[in-house]
Amino acid sequence: DTAVSQTPKYLVTQMGNDKSIKCEQNLGHDTMYWYKQDSKKFLKIMFSYNNKELIINETVPNRFSPKSPDKAHLNLHINSLELGDSAVYFCASSQGIAGRGYEQYFGPGTRLTVT
Amino acid sequence: AQSVAQPEDQVNVAEGNPLTVKCTYSVSGNPYLFWYVQYPNRGLQFLLKYITGDNLVKGSYGFEAEFNKSQTSFHLKKPSALVSDSALYFCAVKTPGNTPLVFGKGTRLSVIA
């Protein structure tokens, strides 16, 4: 199936731990994104990569570090997890240059719970 | 800075009736406007977009939206609602260039049989 996939789907961990979320897209897209959706369903961009280069970084704490090993993958590593990091994290991708108004395709989400 | 307002947290409509989910936006420059739908425990799905051209855009599942520049609105509509349309709907806006896609807070649509 062509899609954006994320692993894991659920992640429960304790404060202070370090965790990673992986994202892969097989749509042949050039641009990938990470979003955070809080408990009130508010959705906010965290990072955007175009051809493995960081192009958007929306004042996210530096405990969050994205890594794009190639155009098809964008992983999110989180250090020293805090209670406020609990949320659903969505990966997305879009075709071509980010500024051209291409629609984004979203993964199923990773529900992170920090206890 | 760009922003999106979805004035209604919840919209209730009877099955078979027309539905409207409202969205207004604020940007400097020309907007790219989008509607997405989120079903429970799922990612967002793209419905339709306005980039340029005809103000009335048609999208997936019978949805359409009208771009109104003077009212800075991009309301989502469907002539006849289905129970399966019940979901959370997001309006989003961006401007040309490497700018982020900014989402509204979402409107929960409930279609009652």
Side-chain angles (χ1 to χ4, degrees):
Chain A
D1 288 342
T2 54
V4 180
S5 59
Q6 297 178 227
T7 54
K9 189 169 175 63
Y10 299 97
L11 187 52
V12 181
T13 188
Q14 292 183 329
M15 285 174 51
N17 285 350
D18 303 338
K19 290 294 179 185
S20 292
I21 305 172
K22 295 186 176 181
C23 177
E24 176 181 4
Q25 56 93 3
N26 60 4
L27 299 165
H29 290 168
D30 288 337
T31 308
M32 297 185 72
Y33 313 81
W34 277 111
Y35 287 87
K36 180 180 179 180
Q37 186 174 46
D38 63 23
S39 59
K40 295 185 177 180
K41 303 297 186 184
F42 185 67
L43 198 65
K44 186 169 168 58
I45 182 86
M46 300 173 69
F47 302 104
S48 174
Y49 272 74
N50 180 255
N51 283 320
K52 302 194 298 175
E53 290 190 24
L54 180 66
I55 56 172
I56 294 175
N57 182 343
E58 285 288 303
T59 60
V60 176
N62 57 15
R63 297 182 296 103
F64 292 79
S65 53
K67 294 239 178 353
S68 182
D70 56 55
K71 285 199 312 182
H73 295 85
L74 180 62
N75 303 323
L76 183 65
H77 188 76
I78 315 170
N79 289 327
S80 303
L81 278 155
E82 301 177 356
L83 292 176
D85 298 332
S86 295
V88 181
Y89 292 84
F90 288 101
C91 178
S93 70
S94 65
Q95 178 184 4
I97 301 170
R100 289 276 180 92
Y102 292 106
E103 62 270 23
Q104 297 178 21
Y105 292 80
F106 284 76
T110 295
R111 183 175 296 277
L112 172 65
T113 303
V114 182
T115 61
Chain B
Q2 55 214 39
S3 65
V4 176
Q6 294 181 243
E8 302 152 318
D9 290 337
Q10 173 97 25
V11 170
N12 298 318
V13 64
E15 187 176 31
N17 283 1
L19 69 87
T20 299
V21 183
K22 295 180 180 177
C23 171
T24 59
Y25 65 90
S26 174
V27 298
S28 300
N30 294 324
Y32 295 158
L33 292 154
F34 302 80
W35 276 102
Y36 288 84
V37 60
Q38 185 178 26
Y39 296 99
N41 299 314
R42 303 284 295 274
L44 277 72
Q45 294 179 30
F46 168 74
L47 280 179
L48 51 79
K49 67 181 178 183
Y50 171 83
I51 303 301
T52 186
D54 194 348
N55 288 345
L56 182 65
V57 293
K58 294 186 183 295
S60 307
Y61 313 119
F63 284 94
E64 59 187 31
E66 185 163 14
F67 171 62
N68 187 317
K69 188 172 183 178
S70 62
Q71 297 186 4
T72 62
S73 67
F74 190 58
H75 301 331
L76 181 70
K77 299 185 179 186
K78 187 174 182 181
S80 178
L82 300 172
V83 171
S84 57
D85 292 330
S86 299
L88 186 58
Y89 289 80
F90 290 95
C91 181
V93 66
K94 77 180 300 298
T95 51
N98 288 331
T99 57
L101 185 62
V102 175
F103 285 85
K105 63 179 174 62
T107 297
R108 191 164 298 281
L109 173 67
S110 180
V111 181
I112 304 158

